[in-house]
Structures are given as C-alpha cells and as structure tokens.
Amino acid sequence: MSSNKKYWKSVEELNENSSIVETLRNNEFVEAIPTDEFLGDKDSLSNSSTTRRDFLKYVGFSTAAASLAACEGPVIKSIPYVVQPEQIIPGIADYYATSMFDGFDFANLLVKTREGRPIKIENNTIEGAKFSANARVHASVLSMYDNMRLKQPKVDQKDATWSDVDAKVKASLADAKATGAQVILLTGTLASPSTEKLVSEFLVNNPTAKHVVYDAVSSSEALDAFEAVYGERALAEYEFEKASTIVSVGADFLGDWQGGGYDKAYAQGRVPKQGKMSKHIQMEANMTLSGAAADKRIPMSVAEQKQALVKIFSIVTGTPVAVGKLSNEAEIVKIAGQLNQSGTKGVLVSGIDDKNAQLLVLAINAKLNSEAFNPNQTRQIRKGSNQAVAQLVADLNGGKVHTLIMSGVNPVYTLAEGKAFADGLKKAKLSVAISLKEDETASLTTIAAPAPHYLESWGDVQIIKGTYGLTQPTIRPLFNTRQLQDNLLVWNGNAKTYYEYLKESWTGVLVGKTWNQAVHDGIFVSATVSSNVATGADFSAAASALAQAKSSGELELNLYTKTGMGDGQQANNPWLQEFPDPITRASWDNYLTISKADAEKYGVENHNVANGGLNGSYVTVTVGGTKLERVPVIIQPGQAKGTIGLALGYGKKAALKEAMQVGVNAYTLYKGFNATQFASIGLESGEHEFACVQLQKTLMGRGDIIKETTLDIFLNEKDTKKWNPPPMVSMDHKPIEATKVDLWESFDRSVGHHFNLSIDLNSCTGCGACVIACHAENNVPVVGKTEVRRSRDMHWLRIDRYYSSEDTFAGDNKKKDEFNGLTGDKGSLSGFGELESPADNPQVAFQPVMCQHCNHAPCETVCPVAATSHSRQGQNHMAYNRCVGTRYCANNCPYKVRRFNWFLYNKNNEFDFHMNDDLGRMVLNPDVNVRSRGVMEKCSMCIQMTQATILKAKKEGRQVNADEFQTACSNACSTGALAFGDVNNKESEVAKLVEDDRMYHLLEHVGTKPNVFYHVKVRNT
C-alpha cells in the first residue's frame, strides 16, 4: 500500500501561500547566475583565467536553458511574390552578361543573381571577351550593398529631390552661358562611345564648357609618347602569348600596369609545351607580382632603370648614345642581346612615368617588329591629361570656374594638391559631384548627386579599339540614384532615357547582330580593322635626355597600387581590406616597404611576437615640403637598395565604416602625377601591429612543399624521378615509394563522379581572384584586423608565398643537402636558422592551398561526432549541425586548412562588416549555410556547384560534359592555373593533367591521398 505521508524540509513549507517555496521548487539555484557579467563582455572573457571545469560549472545549467530557448527560433515572416516574374524561379540562379569599367578596373562579366539579387561575379568566356575579373572586380558585387552609399540627392548637405538638383544645375548652366563663364565637366576616363557622344552634345549646348579627363593613377606620359609617334592618344596593346622573351623595365604587367588584364596571355607562354616556354626578365624597384613570376629579377632604382633602358635602346636599334657606367652593365648587355636574338618574338615594356622612356619603348618594339606589340588595337583607357588637371586646379583657385560638374572622381582625396582643389571648390558658383559615396569631394560640393552602381546601370565600353562591351542592370536601383548619362540627357533638354539613347547609338555599331543578341552576349567585336602608322619622332634626343637621369642621393619613393585595394575606390569593401597582399601577406594596411640594408641604416625594425603577429617601426616620409606621419614599415626582401615603396588607395576617412579607415593617404606624395619621388624618412616612436598572416598556418619545413626544376633539366632529363622525385618511406627496413604503402583499405573509386583539382604552379601569379571568388560563393565571414592578427582569419583558400634564402630555391636545397652534424659552420641547427632569412633578392613561389579533400583524411578519424566525413565523389564533407567544435580535426590536419568560428560573425556588432546589416547580407549565397559560433569550416570543393551541375544534366536528360564541373576558384582563375573536374571522365582536362609528369601531391609522404594535386614549377633560367 502506497504511503500518503508528506515529508517536509522546513517549517516554511507548511505555509501553503509561501512564494519562497514555489521558487525553490522550480529553481535549483536561488539567485540567477550572473553569466552576462563575463559572457557578455568580450574583453573580460578573453582575459579570464577561469578553468574549463569552473566555466562549465558556472554556466552549465544556464547554457542548457539558453539552448532550449534557442530551439524556439525567432519568427521571420516570408512574403511571397504577389505576381511572380516569369524569369525568376526560386532556388535557380540567373546569369546576366555585362561589362565593368570604373575608370580603373574593367572586365567582361557574367553576374550570378538569386531571386533578383546579384550575389557573385564570374568571367564571361564567350568568344571576343578578353578581360577577366581580378580580385577587386570579384569583390565589387559587395560594394553595391554598401550601407554607406549616398542614397538620395543632397543640396547644401541637406536632402533634396532630383527636381531641385535639375533646376539648380540648369539655372547655373544658363547663367554661365549668358555671362560667358567657364563650365567644367570633370570625369574619369569614360571609354564609352555613347557617353562620349553625350558629352560632345553637352559641350555643343554649353559653348563655354570644357571636358577634362582625370585619372587618379595617371598614364599621361605613356599616352603623350604614343600620340607623338602614332597620332592617337591611347595606349598600345601587348599580346604576351606571342612573345618568347619578355623584358619589363619597371612595369608590373601582372598587376595594374596599363589597367592590367595581361595575366591570361602571359600564362599561356609560361607552361612548358612542346619544349617551349617564354623567358621573363624583370627590372624593378618594388617587389611586384611580375617580379615574383620572373625567371630573372634585377632590383634597380628608377634612375638605374632609365639608364638600362637607354643601353638596351642603343644596342637593339644600333643608335650610339652616351650613357654612364651601369653597376650591372654585363647583365643589361646580355638582356639586349637576348631581345635581338628573339627578334619578332621579343617584347619590351616599361612603367616609368617619363615620356622619353615611353618613346624608347615604342622604338625598341618597332625595331624588333615585335609580334606581341600591337599599336593598332589600342587600349582606350587612362585618357587623363596631367596638364589639363593642373590647369583646372589653377583656374578654380583663380575664380575662373563658374560651374563644375564631376563624375566618378574624388580629387580632394586623390590629388596631391587635394587641399588646393578643396579651396578652389569654394570659389565656384556651383559644384556638383555625381558619386556613389558622399566622399571627401562630394561632402564639399553644392550638390551631391547619388550615382548607381554599375550593376544597377546601363552603359557601353570600348576598352580595346573595335571590341565593345555592354553594361546592363542586374537589379533595380537600391537607392534614389541617377547615372551621369541620364543627368546629361536631362541637362541637355533631351527627353529620352539613357537606355533609349544607348540603343540608338548602337545602330551604327552592330553589324550582323541584333541588339538583343548583343545584350545577351555582353560583347560585340567589330570586323573593322584599324591601322596606326608610325610617324617620325626624335628617339635619339629622348635617349640622350633619359641618359642624364641621376639619383638625388635621397631615398627614391615608388608609389604603387596594391593588388587588393587598387586606387582606393572600394576602400569600404571588407573583402578587399581583409585580403592578404600576395607579396607581404599583410592585410588591413598600407605601409612603407624598405630593403634590409636601408632598414639597418635608418634604425627601422620588424619582429614577430609570441603569437606570430608582425610588429614594425613607424617613420615620417617627407617629399618636398609634404610630410606623411606615422607610416608603418615592412622590411621587404627584393626591394632595391636606396628605394622605398608605398601603396596608394588607403587613408580614406569619408563615407567609410570606422574599421575600414585604415592606412595613410599616399596620394599626398603623388606630386606631378609621377609615381617616383625623392624622399627622406625619419624614425618615429611607437610600434605598429600588422595583420600579417605569413607565420600563420605555414607548411614551411614540412618536406617537399614547392617542387621546382629548370627548363633545361625538364627537357633533357628523361627520368622524371630525377626532377619530380616520389617521397620514400621505410617498409621492412627497405625504402619504398610512399604512395605504395597504405594503412587503409581502399575501395573502388572509379564508379560515378570523382572530383580532382589541379593547380599548376607555373601559371599561378598569386593574384588572389580565387580567394575573393571563394568568399562570395561560400559566405566566408570577415573577422577584422584584430582577429586576423590572432591567426583567426577565415579564408577557405590561402595563397602561400615562399622566398628563397639563397639567391635561388636550388641554392637552398644545395645548402640543406650539405648540412653535416648539428653544430659548426655546416651544422643543421644554425643552418636551418639561416634558411629562415630570405635573400636580398629572393626567388618567389606562390602556392594556393585549400582543403586537399584527402581520400584517407586524418581529420575524419579523429572527429568524435562524425561531423567530417568522406563522399564517394572525393569531397570531404562538413556537417555543421553535428560539429561541436572540439577542433581535433584542425589539430590533425597536416595542411592547416580548417577554420574555427571563434565568434558569431553574422549579426554581431563586434564585427561590423557586411554581415552585420540587412543590406550587406543581400550578397549571401542562399545555397550555402552561414556558419555559427563553435563550428569548424573549410573548403567544400563547392559541393553546391557540383550538385547543381549534376542536377542540371539530369534534368536535361544527358551526361555531364567533360569540363562542365567548376568550383568558385577554378571559375575565377583567368590563367588556367586551377582546373577542376571529374577524374573518372577520361575526356576531362583534369583527367589528363593527373597523368602529367609534373604532377605531385602536397605532403605525399603522409599518406593522405589528396584529391588536389600540383604541378612542378619550371623556371626558364
């Protein structure tokens, strides 16, 4: 019989109305545990010495309660289409062909949209599309969703309507016309036939108006030289695939020289085929992407480069010119001889900001009759005139400008005389800035007119003469914006829309193709061939003038644009700010680069702290009377002695989130539009903390990471194991190839699809387009400078950069092989320490590394919850919902490619980047999870893309085509360095590449059997 007896612990329980009893019955802890005090404060949490056991004791029950509460997720209402657009199918991506030109970058593109939102940039590969997207173009889709954009017109810094703007502008133009006062239309290079036609109509309607073209980074000297010889103000086009010998004198043609876009053609000649491979010689002051890729790199100041150029001109053309003794004259003479020997297969390019130097370049290529030099299909970019801009600044300050209309320029920030320009603005009766942002210039003008992003606009471009690109909107304008062309139509009194005007303008361009077809393709190539005939120019006089070039005895400052930031237009783009520079591996900064010898001379230091972070000195840089203070310094191997480098595009403050207001404004030193200035530096107190990832997740010292050989050995050594040796292990006390020994039982992988990724080290230039494309496709979060410095960057794909310690990597191997014992001159203890110091002019190698998708993956065996597992298709999967964040997999990964979400990066004010606001989150790919705190993530080999390809083929009732499979990185790679596909399809490119003699796997001796493989780098020394 059950007992009904009631037990009690205290007298209080006898009181039926007691609130205390009820509280005790339902709560184990009488007082709430103050978890918010330490969990809510990032600083106190990171500094806490609480043990794991105590932490769990404190928060165990409250965390469990929070987890239960989290199961009841917030209600987010979905509103379906009232009338669904026919062309939009939920869950299915649409692609639009378009062209991009922002005055600095340009590309022929496909824009991926989901449910009406552009979310990713891809390359347009249709015939005639020549220009691929670089890292900045890939990131430009995020710049459209920038919450700091100018959202509506402003007059006198107050919100206004377009009617207000039009009335004010028309009245000012009428007044200027009546009084004969000067009107200036200041734009960047337009490269748009229809816009140039509109501008000419504007000038006809306003007889006192003048069009001034201004490029933040000028090519005016090269334009002047080409115009003097060929009669056209344009830039010559170069076709590097046709060259067997490439000599560059200060031209970073794999970077932003003449707009860039040369990497694809260059890479075609850099992969050894049929016994041929181009030879590349680079003379430069700063270490650049082109210098890193060169077979021979000679560090030289610009003054020395000018002398070398004169010497080469003298030898190639046979024109005697008196030039001083060069420190490396024998090498220069040899280079000139190689150019002569190559004949039509030789080409020389130069980035020196000097008309005389550019004249000599034209003369040398004409003498060689170089096939790679194309003076007919010219580049219609960088059309700015240094003289016209200087005159405008003078006229503004002289009160001669009545009305100033600007579009796509920010001269208050980008002009060395920015302060003088700002002062002159006040003297104009009306100033208008048509701008994406209320930037340094727009914030000072009478009218700030918001411009749409190129993804919201119509337009046309002609980058190469005869090749036209169309720009079409991929989304309705997000804000109350109006593009320059529509403004000009209104102010010209034309009632047409720009779309109608553009369509009419193309009637004279389109031959054999309809308008709709041109919009669909995004490109049209004219059959008309132009021809530029060279006229006489006094090359001897130019050579004689150039031969007088001398160094001033001060340091030579070389200004340049970084691969990530360019001219600074996208400074508020967190993808680009966090993008590690390919050369220095530093993000979130610009800095002065200096040689080791000069650093010792000026007392400048770099050192790594305990967590691997890089710290460096500050200096003040003085050019003329202009000082730039507290500039951080990085000691850069390969920097020419007596020279320093500094990147443009940083130091912006207006219309930027606080986290993006980084770096110093080097444009203040860009005097006379000359990238080379004489400077002095002075050491400052304090130490700068860099976000440099060079010492993070490194594979250095882990065996054969980079495999190299020379072209001579590659061609003549028939035994491939001599230059691509397989790793050996011991079995039964006998050496055996590592690939023939296995701890695992394998299964048949020849059934169905099996994905492999090929990476050719010869083609990879380190440009980083793949890194940004991966960000866009896979919703990779931005973590900010502080977290990057703590080795917590989230990049799924990194591009490792290696320097040689001796002059060459071969020299490193020789030194390593000659180690004898632990101590002494040849001891390995001191020897390996020496190998950690790069040479003054090192060889450079780039290596993209992502999850290797090992068939025998060490991460899979240690996961206690089976969150990471392998598929029959060769992909290593991550089940985010299963992951409990033990990080065992990261510890067990020999490639260091796994990333841990230390925090919630989405909707978190501590990480105020694009994922923290509704507009920025519009760029997120709905096919990929946004990961949460405590979850491990890494490259998925874009499984959502491979599955979409399979489903598409299945829906269409066919087999997947040979090279139809793609990943974000392989899609973005313009050089072809990354090739992805199904290795079981013997027709696919990747199936052929896996059989290549140059193929090897990373850390093959570990026995992981990766599905990513590399190709031995061949150098044409």
Side-chain angles (χ1 to χ4, degrees), residues 882-942:
R882 294 185 67 92
C883 180
V884 295
T886 63
R887 295 184 287 142
Y888 297 160
C889 57
N891 290 336
N892 219 35
C893 174
Y895 306 103
K896 301 304 164 199
V897 290
R898 290 178 164 259
R899 306 287 178 262
F900 183 66
N901 284 268
W902 291 91
F903 299 97
L904 178 69
Y905 302 114
N906 177 36
K907 299 183 183 178
N908 187 339
N909 290 336
E910 293 294 331
F911 301 93
D912 190 17
F913 307 112
H914 67 289
M915 285 192 186
N916 194 42
D917 62 69
D918 290 336
L919 187 64
R921 282 193 294 273
M922 284 179 73
V923 83
L924 295 178
N925 183 357
D927 293 332
V928 179
N929 276 9
V930 176
R931 283 74 63 188
S932 187
R933 183 177 66 174
V935 169
M936 188 65 73
E937 62 180 70
K938 50 94 206 177
C939 161
S940 67
M941 221 178 242
C942 291

Side-chain angles (χ1 to χ4, degrees), residues 607-682:
H607 66 92
N608 290 99
V609 293
N611 67 358
L614 179 70
N615 287 10
S617 304
Y618 285 110
V619 296
T620 295
V621 183
T622 306
V623 174
T626 305
K627 287 188 176 182
L628 201 53
E629 297 179 338
R630 295 191 69 75
V631 183
V633 186
I634 281 183
I635 299 172
Q636 175 61 57
Q639 185 80 34
K641 290 177 185 176
T643 72
I644 50 178
L646 184 59
L648 302 163
Y650 287 81
K652 288 180 69 117
K653 303 293 181 189
L656 261 69
K657 289 187 176 181
E658 188 178 352
M660 257 71 85
Q661 295 177 22
V662 296
V664 294
N665 184 6
Y667 279 114
T668 58
L669 307 179
Y670 189 37
K671 295 181 180 294
F673 297 97
N674 196 325
T676 306
Q677 302 285 339
F678 292 117
S680 60
I681 63 172

Side-chain angles (χ1 to χ4, degrees), residues 572-589:
N572 207 37
N573 192 310
W575 287 348
L576 294 176
Q577 289 283 8
E578 194 145 297
F579 173 73
D581 182 74
I583 302 296
T584 62
R585 306 286 287 136
S587 59
W588 291 99
D589 259 318

Side-chain angles (χ1 to χ4, degrees), residues 476-648:
R476 288 181 65 90
L478 297 173
F479 307 117
N480 185 17
T481 56
R482 204 168 73 186
Q483 64 190 98
L484 166 68
Q485 294 86 346
D486 278 314
N487 286 325
L488 288 178
L489 283 166
V490 172
W491 301 337
N492 279 345
N494 193 328
K496 290 177 185 170
T497 64
Y498 177 52
Y499 171 73
E500 294 166 339
Y501 186 91
L502 176 66
K503 192 173 178 182
E504 277 182 21
S505 298
W506 269 59
T507 54
V509 173
L510 290 171
V511 178
K513 189 181 279 191
T514 64
W515 166 255
N516 285 345
Q517 186 65 44
V519 172
H520 171 272
D521 295 348
I523 197 144
F524 174 75
V525 181
S526 171
T528 307
V529 179
S530 62
S531 178
N532 282 331
V533 179
T535 57
D538 196 345
F539 298 116
S540 296
S544 298
L546 204 63
Q548 307 305 313
K550 289 184 177 63
S551 179
S552 74
E554 297 178 275
L555 286 170
E556 182 185 274
L557 170 65
N558 290 281
L559 301 169
Y560 67 99
T561 52
K562 275 177 74 171
T563 306
M565 194 49 61
D567 64 350
Q569 289 187 56
Q570 297 191 72
N572 207 37
N573 192 310
W575 287 348
L576 294 176
Q577 289 283 8
E578 194 145 297
F579 173 73
D581 182 74
I583 302 296
T584 62
R585 306 286 287 136
S587 59
W588 291 99
D589 259 318
N590 67 337
Y591 32 76
L592 200 75
T593 56
I594 192 170
S595 69
K596 187 177 180 182
D598 288 328
E600 291 172 356
K601 177 180 174 182
Y602 289 96
V604 172
E605 294 182 354
N606 279 172
H607 66 92
N608 290 99
V609 293
N611 67 358
L614 179 70
N615 287 10
S617 304
Y618 285 110
V619 296
T620 295
V621 183
T622 306
V623 174
T626 305
K627 287 188 176 182
L628 201 53
E629 297 179 338
R630 295 191 69 75
V631 183
V633 186
I634 281 183
I635 299 172
Q636 175 61 57
Q639 185 80 34
K641 290 177 185 176
T643 72
I644 50 178
L646 184 59
L648 302 163

Side-chain angles (χ1 to χ4, degrees), residues 246-248 251-254 266 270 277-284 287-299 583 708 761-762 764-765 807-809 841-846 1017-1021:
I246 301 166
V247 177
S248 170
D252 182 17
F253 58 85
L254 295 180
Y266 171 81
R270 297 296 289 168
M277 176 183 168
S278 64
K279 185 176 182 67
H280 173 194
I281 301 156
Q282 185 85 9
M283 292 171 253
E284 62 184 13
M287 174 69 84
T288 66
L289 287 180
S290 302
D295 297 303
K296 184 174 185 59
R297 179 180 180 274
I298 308 173
I583 302 296
E708 285 199 353
L761 300 182
N762 262 52
C764 179
T765 63
D807 288 339
T808 64
F809 285 107
N841 180 30
Q843 277 190 342
V844 185
F846 295 110
K1017 187 173 180 69
V1018 180
R1019 293 187 187 270
N1020 189 357
T1021 54

